[in-house]
mmCIF file of all heavy atoms in Angstrom:
data_model
loop_
_atom_site.group_PDB
_atom_site.id
_atom_site.type_symbol
_atom_site.label_atom_id
_atom_site.label_comp_id
_atom_site.label_asym_id
_atom_site.label_seq_id
_atom_site.Cartn_x
_atom_site.Cartn_y
_atom_site.Cartn_z
ATOM 1 N N GLY A 1 -49.973 46.847 15.112
ATOM 2 C CA GLY A 1 -51.393 46.560 14.967
ATOM 3 C C GLY A 1 -51.829 45.150 15.307
ATOM 4 O O GLY A 1 -52.971 44.782 15.036
ATOM 5 N N PHE A 2 -50.958 44.361 15.921
ATOM 6 C CA PHE A 2 -51.392 43.021 16.322
ATOM 7 C C PHE A 2 -50.731 42.630 17.634
ATOM 8 O O PHE A 2 -49.810 43.291 18.097
ATOM 9 C CB PHE A 2 -51.114 41.985 15.225
ATOM 10 C CG PHE A 2 -49.651 41.749 14.924
ATOM 11 C CD1 PHE A 2 -48.969 40.683 15.498
ATOM 12 C CD2 PHE A 2 -48.959 42.567 14.040
ATOM 13 C CE1 PHE A 2 -47.631 40.456 15.218
ATOM 14 C CE2 PHE A 2 -47.620 42.343 13.733
ATOM 15 C CZ PHE A 2 -46.955 41.280 14.328
ATOM 16 N N ARG A 3 -51.243 41.552 18.247
ATOM 17 C CA ARG A 3 -50.775 41.043 19.536
ATOM 18 C C ARG A 3 -50.891 42.107 20.635
ATOM 19 O O ARG A 3 -49.981 42.325 21.429
ATOM 20 C CB ARG A 3 -49.338 40.537 19.421
ATOM 21 C CG ARG A 3 -49.162 39.364 18.495
ATOM 22 C CD ARG A 3 -49.902 38.133 18.949
ATOM 23 N NE ARG A 3 -49.284 37.514 20.120
ATOM 24 C CZ ARG A 3 -49.756 36.427 20.734
ATOM 25 N NH1 ARG A 3 -50.873 35.853 20.290
ATOM 26 N NH2 ARG A 3 -49.151 35.927 21.779
ATOM 27 N N ARG A 4 -52.049 42.744 20.700
ATOM 28 C CA ARG A 4 -52.259 43.751 21.740
ATOM 29 C C ARG A 4 -52.509 43.079 23.092
ATOM 30 O O ARG A 4 -53.217 42.074 23.185
ATOM 31 C CB ARG A 4 -53.452 44.637 21.383
ATOM 32 C CG ARG A 4 -53.248 45.430 20.099
ATOM 33 C CD ARG A 4 -54.394 46.421 19.892
ATOM 34 N NE ARG A 4 -54.264 47.115 18.617
ATOM 35 C CZ ARG A 4 -53.446 48.130 18.394
ATOM 36 N NH1 ARG A 4 -52.681 48.573 19.385
ATOM 37 N NH2 ARG A 4 -53.380 48.704 17.216
ATOM 38 N N CYS A 5 -51.936 43.647 24.139
ATOM 39 C CA CYS A 5 -52.127 43.118 25.479
ATOM 40 C C CYS A 5 -51.813 44.211 26.488
ATOM 41 O O CYS A 5 -51.376 45.311 26.126
ATOM 42 C CB CYS A 5 -51.233 41.894 25.718
ATOM 43 S SG CYS A 5 -49.467 42.236 25.548
ATOM 44 N N GLN A 6 -52.049 43.917 27.759
ATOM 45 C CA GLN A 6 -51.743 44.853 28.835
ATOM 46 C C GLN A 6 -51.005 44.118 29.942
ATOM 47 O O GLN A 6 -51.333 42.967 30.270
ATOM 48 C CB GLN A 6 -53.029 45.466 29.407
ATOM 49 C CG GLN A 6 -53.808 46.322 28.436
ATOM 50 C CD GLN A 6 -55.045 46.914 29.081
ATOM 51 O OE1 GLN A 6 -55.429 46.544 30.188
ATOM 52 N NE2 GLN A 6 -55.679 47.842 28.397
ATOM 53 N N LEU A 7 -50.018 44.769 30.521
ATOM 54 C CA LEU A 7 -49.358 44.269 31.719
ATOM 55 C C LEU A 7 -50.079 44.906 32.900
ATOM 56 O O LEU A 7 -50.104 46.138 33.014
ATOM 57 C CB LEU A 7 -47.879 44.642 31.715
ATOM 58 C CG LEU A 7 -47.055 44.231 32.949
ATOM 59 C CD1 LEU A 7 -47.059 42.719 33.132
ATOM 60 C CD2 LEU A 7 -45.624 44.753 32.824
ATOM 61 N N VAL A 8 -50.682 44.074 33.759
ATOM 62 C CA VAL A 8 -51.557 44.596 34.805
ATOM 63 C C VAL A 8 -51.215 44.003 36.167
ATOM 64 O O VAL A 8 -50.615 42.930 36.272
ATOM 65 C CB VAL A 8 -53.042 44.290 34.495
ATOM 66 C CG1 VAL A 8 -53.467 44.926 33.174
ATOM 67 C CG2 VAL A 8 -53.289 42.773 34.466
ATOM 68 N N LEU A 9 -51.629 44.722 37.200
ATOM 69 C CA LEU A 9 -51.587 44.213 38.570
ATOM 70 C C LEU A 9 -52.946 43.617 38.885
ATOM 71 O O LEU A 9 -53.975 44.302 38.750
ATOM 72 C CB LEU A 9 -51.288 45.339 39.561
ATOM 73 C CG LEU A 9 -49.844 45.775 39.745
ATOM 74 C CD1 LEU A 9 -49.795 46.990 40.668
ATOM 75 C CD2 LEU A 9 -48.993 44.652 40.319
ATOM 76 N N ALA A 10 -52.965 42.347 39.286
ATOM 77 C CA ALA A 10 -54.229 41.678 39.589
ATOM 78 C C ALA A 10 -54.169 41.061 40.979
ATOM 79 O O ALA A 10 -53.188 40.409 41.339
ATOM 80 C CB ALA A 10 -54.529 40.605 38.548
ATOM 81 N N VAL A 11 -55.222 41.292 41.759
ATOM 82 C CA VAL A 11 -55.296 40.791 43.134
ATOM 83 C C VAL A 11 -56.433 39.778 43.238
ATOM 84 O O VAL A 11 -57.332 39.748 42.395
ATOM 85 C CB VAL A 11 -55.525 41.952 44.129
ATOM 86 C CG1 VAL A 11 -54.407 42.976 44.027
ATOM 87 C CG2 VAL A 11 -56.883 42.619 43.881
ATOM 88 N N PRO A 12 -56.426 38.943 44.274
ATOM 89 C CA PRO A 12 -57.535 37.998 44.463
ATOM 90 C C PRO A 12 -58.859 38.729 44.653
ATOM 91 O O PRO A 12 -58.919 39.804 45.263
ATOM 92 C CB PRO A 12 -57.129 37.240 45.741
ATOM 93 C CG PRO A 12 -55.632 37.361 45.801
ATOM 94 C CD PRO A 12 -55.343 38.726 45.254
ATOM 95 N N GLU A 13 -59.919 38.168 44.130
ATOM 96 C CA GLU A 13 -61.250 38.763 44.276
ATOM 97 C C GLU A 13 -61.659 38.872 45.743
ATOM 98 O O GLU A 13 -62.479 39.715 46.111
ATOM 99 C CB GLU A 13 -62.285 37.932 43.510
ATOM 100 C CG GLU A 13 -62.144 38.033 41.994
ATOM 101 C CD GLU A 13 -63.178 37.195 41.272
ATOM 102 O OE1 GLU A 13 -63.853 36.369 41.944
ATOM 103 O OE2 GLU A 13 -63.322 37.355 40.039
ATOM 104 N N SER A 14 -61.086 38.036 46.591
ATOM 105 C CA SER A 14 -61.425 38.059 48.019
ATOM 106 C C SER A 14 -60.895 39.291 48.741
ATOM 107 O O SER A 14 -61.315 39.578 49.864
ATOM 108 C CB SER A 14 -60.878 36.793 48.699
ATOM 109 O OG SER A 14 -59.468 36.720 48.547
ATOM 110 N N TRP A 15 -59.985 40.037 48.099
ATOM 111 C CA TRP A 15 -59.467 41.262 48.711
ATOM 112 C C TRP A 15 -60.471 42.393 48.478
ATOM 113 O O TRP A 15 -60.257 43.308 47.675
ATOM 114 C CB TRP A 15 -58.118 41.629 48.112
ATOM 115 C CG TRP A 15 -56.988 40.704 48.486
ATOM 116 C CD1 TRP A 15 -57.071 39.455 49.001
ATOM 117 C CD2 TRP A 15 -55.594 40.989 48.357
ATOM 118 N NE1 TRP A 15 -55.827 38.922 49.201
ATOM 119 C CE2 TRP A 15 -54.888 39.838 48.821
ATOM 120 C CE3 TRP A 15 -54.868 42.074 47.895
ATOM 121 C CZ2 TRP A 15 -53.502 39.763 48.823
ATOM 122 C CZ3 TRP A 15 -53.487 42.010 47.890
ATOM 123 C CH2 TRP A 15 -52.806 40.872 48.362
ATOM 124 N N LEU A 16 -61.577 42.355 49.185
ATOM 125 C CA LEU A 16 -62.676 43.279 48.930
ATOM 126 C C LEU A 16 -62.311 44.728 49.211
ATOM 127 O O LEU A 16 -62.866 45.654 48.591
ATOM 128 C CB LEU A 16 -63.889 42.879 49.778
ATOM 129 C CG LEU A 16 -64.441 41.464 49.532
ATOM 130 C CD1 LEU A 16 -65.613 41.189 50.453
ATOM 131 C CD2 LEU A 16 -64.847 41.305 48.074
ATOM 132 N N ASP A 17 -61.403 44.966 50.157
ATOM 133 C CA ASP A 17 -61.054 46.334 50.531
ATOM 134 C C ASP A 17 -59.883 46.892 49.723
ATOM 135 O O ASP A 17 -59.452 48.026 49.967
ATOM 136 C CB ASP A 17 -60.702 46.405 52.027
ATOM 137 C CG ASP A 17 -61.891 46.073 52.911
ATOM 138 O OD1 ASP A 17 -63.030 46.338 52.480
ATOM 139 O OD2 ASP A 17 -61.679 45.546 54.024
ATOM 140 N N VAL A 18 -59.371 46.119 48.796
ATOM 141 C CA VAL A 18 -58.242 46.577 47.981
ATOM 142 C C VAL A 18 -58.728 46.720 46.549
ATOM 143 O O VAL A 18 -58.847 45.731 45.816
ATOM 144 C CB VAL A 18 -57.059 45.597 48.065
ATOM 145 C CG1 VAL A 18 -55.889 46.096 47.216
ATOM 146 C CG2 VAL A 18 -56.621 45.411 49.507
ATOM 147 N N THR A 19 -59.013 47.950 46.140
ATOM 148 C CA THR A 19 -59.511 48.183 44.786
ATOM 149 C C THR A 19 -58.625 49.127 43.988
ATOM 150 O O THR A 19 -58.707 49.154 42.766
ATOM 151 C CB THR A 19 -60.938 48.768 44.823
ATOM 152 O OG1 THR A 19 -60.916 50.008 45.534
ATOM 153 C CG2 THR A 19 -61.899 47.798 45.517
ATOM 154 N N THR A 20 -57.789 49.906 44.690
ATOM 155 C CA THR A 20 -56.939 50.885 44.009
ATOM 156 C C THR A 20 -55.478 50.694 44.395
ATOM 157 O O THR A 20 -55.159 49.946 45.327
ATOM 158 C CB THR A 20 -57.353 52.329 44.376
ATOM 159 O OG1 THR A 20 -57.071 52.543 45.766
ATOM 160 C CG2 THR A 20 -58.836 52.548 44.111
ATOM 161 N N LEU A 21 -54.603 51.404 43.708
ATOM 162 C CA LEU A 21 -53.179 51.352 44.044
ATOM 163 C C LEU A 21 -52.932 51.938 45.429
ATOM 164 O O LEU A 21 -52.043 51.470 46.159
ATOM 165 C CB LEU A 21 -52.372 52.126 42.995
ATOM 166 C CG LEU A 21 -52.227 51.434 41.633
ATOM 167 C CD1 LEU A 21 -51.648 52.412 40.614
ATOM 168 C CD2 LEU A 21 -51.334 50.203 41.744
ATOM 169 N N ALA A 22 -53.697 52.952 45.808
ATOM 170 C CA ALA A 22 -53.556 53.524 47.153
ATOM 171 C C ALA A 22 -53.898 52.485 48.215
ATOM 172 O O ALA A 22 -53.220 52.396 49.258
ATOM 173 C CB ALA A 22 -54.455 54.755 47.286
ATOM 174 N N ASP A 23 -54.948 51.684 47.952
ATOM 175 C CA ASP A 23 -55.308 50.620 48.889
ATOM 176 C C ASP A 23 -54.176 49.603 48.997
ATOM 177 O O ASP A 23 -53.872 49.114 50.095
ATOM 178 C CB ASP A 23 -56.579 49.908 48.430
ATOM 179 C CG ASP A 23 -57.805 50.823 48.452
ATOM 180 O OD1 ASP A 23 -57.797 51.798 49.221
ATOM 181 O OD2 ASP A 23 -58.746 50.543 47.686
ATOM 182 N N LEU A 24 -53.574 49.293 47.876
ATOM 183 C CA LEU A 24 -52.475 48.322 47.877
ATOM 184 C C LEU A 24 -51.285 48.866 48.655
ATOM 185 O O LEU A 24 -50.633 48.127 49.407
ATOM 186 C CB LEU A 24 -52.066 48.003 46.437
ATOM 187 C CG LEU A 24 -51.057 46.861 46.274
ATOM 188 C CD1 LEU A 24 -51.685 45.523 46.662
ATOM 189 C CD2 LEU A 24 -50.558 46.790 44.829
ATOM 190 N N ALA A 25 -50.997 50.148 48.487
ATOM 191 C CA ALA A 25 -49.891 50.768 49.223
ATOM 192 C C ALA A 25 -50.153 50.717 50.722
ATOM 193 O O ALA A 25 -49.242 50.417 51.520
ATOM 194 C CB ALA A 25 -49.702 52.209 48.750
ATOM 195 N N ASP A 26 -51.392 50.998 51.138
ATOM 196 C CA ASP A 26 -51.741 50.947 52.566
ATOM 197 C C ASP A 26 -51.603 49.528 53.106
ATOM 198 O O ASP A 26 -51.107 49.330 54.232
ATOM 199 C CB ASP A 26 -53.178 51.434 52.773
ATOM 200 C CG ASP A 26 -53.330 52.927 52.515
ATOM 201 O OD1 ASP A 26 -52.302 53.631 52.508
ATOM 202 O OD2 ASP A 26 -54.470 53.374 52.287
ATOM 203 N N LEU A 27 -52.038 48.538 52.315
ATOM 204 C CA LEU A 27 -51.939 47.153 52.754
ATOM 205 C C LEU A 27 -50.484 46.732 52.901
ATOM 206 O O LEU A 27 -50.125 46.025 53.861
ATOM 207 C CB LEU A 27 -52.651 46.238 51.755
ATOM 208 C CG LEU A 27 -52.678 44.748 52.110
ATOM 209 C CD1 LEU A 27 -53.434 44.516 53.416
ATOM 210 C CD2 LEU A 27 -53.303 43.929 50.983
ATOM 211 N N ALA A 28 -49.634 47.173 51.977
ATOM 212 C CA ALA A 28 -48.207 46.830 52.055
ATOM 213 C C ALA A 28 -47.585 47.403 53.329
ATOM 214 O O ALA A 28 -46.761 46.736 53.976
ATOM 215 C CB ALA A 28 -47.485 47.356 50.816
ATOM 216 N N VAL A 29 -47.977 48.631 53.705
ATOM 217 C CA VAL A 29 -47.474 49.245 54.941
ATOM 218 C C VAL A 29 -47.960 48.472 56.159
ATOM 219 O O VAL A 29 -47.190 48.205 57.098
ATOM 220 C CB VAL A 29 -47.922 50.722 55.025
ATOM 221 C CG1 VAL A 29 -47.601 51.311 56.399
ATOM 222 C CG2 VAL A 29 -47.259 51.543 53.937
ATOM 223 N N GLU A 30 -49.245 48.100 56.153
ATOM 224 C CA GLU A 30 -49.809 47.352 57.274
ATOM 225 C C GLU A 30 -49.112 46.017 57.453
ATOM 226 O O GLU A 30 -48.767 45.616 58.576
ATOM 227 C CB GLU A 30 -51.307 47.151 57.044
ATOM 228 C CG GLU A 30 -52.009 46.421 58.182
ATOM 229 C CD GLU A 30 -53.489 46.219 57.911
ATOM 230 O OE1 GLU A 30 -54.044 46.974 57.091
ATOM 231 O OE2 GLU A 30 -54.071 45.295 58.521
ATOM 232 N N TRP A 31 -48.874 45.319 56.325
ATOM 233 C CA TRP A 31 -48.177 44.032 56.409
ATOM 234 C C TRP A 31 -46.745 44.215 56.898
ATOM 235 O O TRP A 31 -46.227 43.391 57.641
ATOM 236 C CB TRP A 31 -48.186 43.355 55.028
ATOM 237 C CG TRP A 31 -49.503 42.714 54.698
ATOM 238 C CD1 TRP A 31 -50.684 42.868 55.366
ATOM 239 C CD2 TRP A 31 -49.771 41.821 53.617
ATOM 240 N NE1 TRP A 31 -51.682 42.139 54.757
ATOM 241 C CE2 TRP A 31 -51.139 41.474 53.672
ATOM 242 C CE3 TRP A 31 -49.003 41.314 52.586
ATOM 243 C CZ2 TRP A 31 -51.744 40.620 52.769
ATOM 244 C CZ3 TRP A 31 -49.602 40.448 51.668
ATOM 245 C CH2 TRP A 31 -50.959 40.106 51.753
ATOM 246 N N LYS A 32 -46.128 45.294 56.485
ATOM 247 C CA LYS A 32 -44.760 45.573 56.912
ATOM 248 C C LYS A 32 -44.686 45.708 58.436
ATOM 249 O O LYS A 32 -43.758 45.196 59.082
ATOM 250 C CB LYS A 32 -44.278 46.851 56.233
ATOM 251 C CG LYS A 32 -42.895 47.331 56.651
ATOM 252 C CD LYS A 32 -41.801 46.443 56.119
ATOM 253 C CE LYS A 32 -40.438 47.049 56.413
ATOM 254 N NZ LYS A 32 -39.334 46.174 55.971
ATOM 255 N N ARG A 33 -45.669 46.394 59.010
ATOM 256 C CA ARG A 33 -45.712 46.560 60.461
ATOM 257 C C ARG A 33 -45.875 45.226 61.180
ATOM 258 O O ARG A 33 -45.401 45.053 62.300
ATOM 259 C CB ARG A 33 -46.869 47.498 60.841
ATOM 260 C CG ARG A 33 -46.639 48.952 60.446
ATOM 261 C CD ARG A 33 -47.882 49.768 60.706
ATOM 262 N NE ARG A 33 -47.699 51.164 60.298
ATOM 263 C CZ ARG A 33 -48.702 51.993 60.065
ATOM 264 N NH1 ARG A 33 -49.967 51.568 60.179
ATOM 265 N NH2 ARG A 33 -48.463 53.242 59.707
ATOM 266 N N ARG A 34 -46.563 44.318 60.527
ATOM 267 C CA ARG A 34 -46.789 43.003 61.128
ATOM 268 C C ARG A 34 -45.641 42.034 60.856
ATOM 269 O O ARG A 34 -45.690 40.870 61.234
ATOM 270 C CB ARG A 34 -48.087 42.393 60.588
ATOM 271 C CG ARG A 34 -49.339 43.190 60.924
ATOM 272 C CD ARG A 34 -50.549 42.518 60.303
ATOM 273 N NE ARG A 34 -51.775 43.261 60.530
ATOM 274 C CZ ARG A 34 -52.965 42.906 60.048
ATOM 275 N NH1 ARG A 34 -53.070 41.800 59.286
ATOM 276 N NH2 ARG A 34 -54.037 43.626 60.316
ATOM 277 N N GLY A 35 -44.628 42.517 60.106
ATOM 278 C CA GLY A 35 -43.499 41.662 59.797
ATOM 279 C C GLY A 35 -43.729 40.758 58.598
ATOM 280 O O GLY A 35 -43.021 39.757 58.406
ATOM 281 N N ARG A 36 -44.697 41.122 57.769
ATOM 282 C CA ARG A 36 -45.024 40.326 56.581
ATOM 283 C C ARG A 36 -44.692 41.119 55.322
ATOM 284 O O ARG A 36 -44.888 42.327 55.287
ATOM 285 C CB ARG A 36 -46.494 39.942 56.595
ATOM 286 C CG ARG A 36 -46.943 39.098 55.406
ATOM 287 C CD ARG A 36 -48.399 38.723 55.525
ATOM 288 N NE ARG A 36 -48.881 38.053 54.325
ATOM 289 C CZ ARG A 36 -50.149 37.677 54.148
ATOM 290 N NH1 ARG A 36 -51.059 37.918 55.094
ATOM 291 N NH2 ARG A 36 -50.505 37.063 53.023
ATOM 292 N N THR A 37 -44.199 40.432 54.312
ATOM 293 C CA THR A 37 -43.849 41.095 53.055
ATOM 294 C C THR A 37 -44.835 40.708 51.956
ATOM 295 O O THR A 37 -45.160 39.528 51.788
ATOM 296 C CB THR A 37 -42.428 40.713 52.605
ATOM 297 O OG1 THR A 37 -41.506 41.077 53.632
ATOM 298 C CG2 THR A 37 -42.045 41.439 51.326
ATOM 299 N N MET A 38 -45.313 41.694 51.228
ATOM 300 C CA MET A 38 -46.214 41.432 50.102
ATOM 301 C C MET A 38 -45.427 40.839 48.946
ATOM 302 O O MET A 38 -44.427 41.392 48.499
ATOM 303 C CB MET A 38 -46.885 42.738 49.663
ATOM 304 C CG MET A 38 -47.870 42.590 48.518
ATOM 305 S SD MET A 38 -48.705 44.176 48.168
ATOM 306 C CE MET A 38 -49.730 44.339 49.629
ATOM 307 N N ARG A 39 -45.873 39.678 48.443
ATOM 308 C CA ARG A 39 -45.167 38.972 47.368
ATOM 309 C C ARG A 39 -45.939 39.109 46.055
ATOM 310 O O ARG A 39 -47.122 38.822 45.999
ATOM 311 C CB ARG A 39 -45.007 37.495 47.719
ATOM 312 C CG ARG A 39 -44.221 37.235 49.009
ATOM 313 C CD ARG A 39 -44.476 35.828 49.497
ATOM 314 N NE ARG A 39 -45.899 35.602 49.734
ATOM 315 C CZ ARG A 39 -46.463 34.393 49.851
ATOM 316 N NH1 ARG A 39 -45.731 33.302 49.743
ATOM 317 N NH2 ARG A 39 -47.760 34.287 50.070
ATOM 318 N N ILE A 40 -45.217 39.530 45.026
ATOM 319 C CA ILE A 40 -45.843 39.752 43.718
ATOM 320 C C ILE A 40 -45.124 38.888 42.688
ATOM 321 O O ILE A 40 -43.916 39.048 42.465
ATOM 322 C CB ILE A 40 -45.766 41.234 43.310
ATOM 323 C CG1 ILE A 40 -46.371 42.119 44.404
ATOM 324 C CG2 ILE A 40 -46.460 41.462 41.971
ATOM 325 C CD1 ILE A 40 -46.186 43.597 44.174
ATOM 326 N N ALA A 41 -45.849 37.981 42.070
ATOM 327 C CA ALA A 41 -45.272 37.119 41.038
ATOM 328 C C ALA A 41 -45.331 37.817 39.688
ATOM 329 O O ALA A 41 -46.375 38.368 39.315
ATOM 330 C CB ALA A 41 -46.024 35.790 40.969
ATOM 331 N N THR A 42 -44.222 37.832 38.968
ATOM 332 C CA THR A 42 -44.188 38.497 37.664
ATOM 333 C C THR A 42 -43.028 37.990 36.822
ATOM 334 O O THR A 42 -42.035 37.484 37.350
ATOM 335 C CB THR A 42 -44.072 40.024 37.836
ATOM 336 O OG1 THR A 42 -44.178 40.644 36.552
ATOM 337 C CG2 THR A 42 -42.742 40.413 38.469
ATOM 338 N N LYS A 43 -43.175 38.147 35.513
ATOM 339 C CA LYS A 43 -42.087 37.892 34.567
ATOM 340 C C LYS A 43 -41.477 39.207 34.091
ATOM 341 O O LYS A 43 -40.601 39.200 33.231
ATOM 342 C CB LYS A 43 -42.631 37.106 33.361
ATOM 343 C CG LYS A 43 -43.231 35.757 33.724
ATOM 344 C CD LYS A 43 -43.892 35.095 32.518
ATOM 345 C CE LYS A 43 -44.601 33.817 32.919
ATOM 346 N NZ LYS A 43 -45.350 33.206 31.776
ATOM 347 N N PHE A 44 -41.987 40.316 34.651
ATOM 348 C CA PHE A 44 -41.522 41.641 34.250
ATOM 349 C C PHE A 44 -41.086 42.430 35.487
ATOM 350 O O PHE A 44 -41.725 43.415 35.874
ATOM 351 C CB PHE A 44 -42.636 42.386 33.508
ATOM 352 C CG PHE A 44 -43.072 41.719 32.231
ATOM 353 C CD1 PHE A 44 -44.048 40.732 32.247
ATOM 354 C CD2 PHE A 44 -42.492 42.082 31.025
ATOM 355 C CE1 PHE A 44 -44.444 40.111 31.066
ATOM 356 C CE2 PHE A 44 -42.884 41.466 29.842
ATOM 357 C CZ PHE A 44 -43.848 40.472 29.861
#
């Protein structure tokens, strides 16, 4: 009943076309084709 929190995925507000997990998956594929890797910072 205390210390409630959520572990979430958060993207920059400037990513206007990325609003869902499906959008994120598509972006990761697109970057992969371009030779770029999506980097996610986390402690989990």
Side-chain angles (χ1 to χ4, degrees):
F2 65 97
R3 296 297 288 179
R4 297 187 184 281
C5 60
Q6 296 181 350
L7 178 61
V8 300
L9 279 175
V11 301
E13 290 180 348
S14 59
W15 290 17
L16 300 179
D17 296 330
V18 180
T19 60
T20 67
L21 286 169
D23 295 335
L24 188 68
D26 291 342
L27 182 62
V29 171
E30 182 181 338
W31 282 12
K32 176 71 173 177
R33 290 173 182 161
R34 297 178 183 178
R36 181 178 173 183
T37 302
M38 181 175 290
R39 300 162 302 163
I40 305 173
T42 186
K43 300 174 185 175
F44 298 87

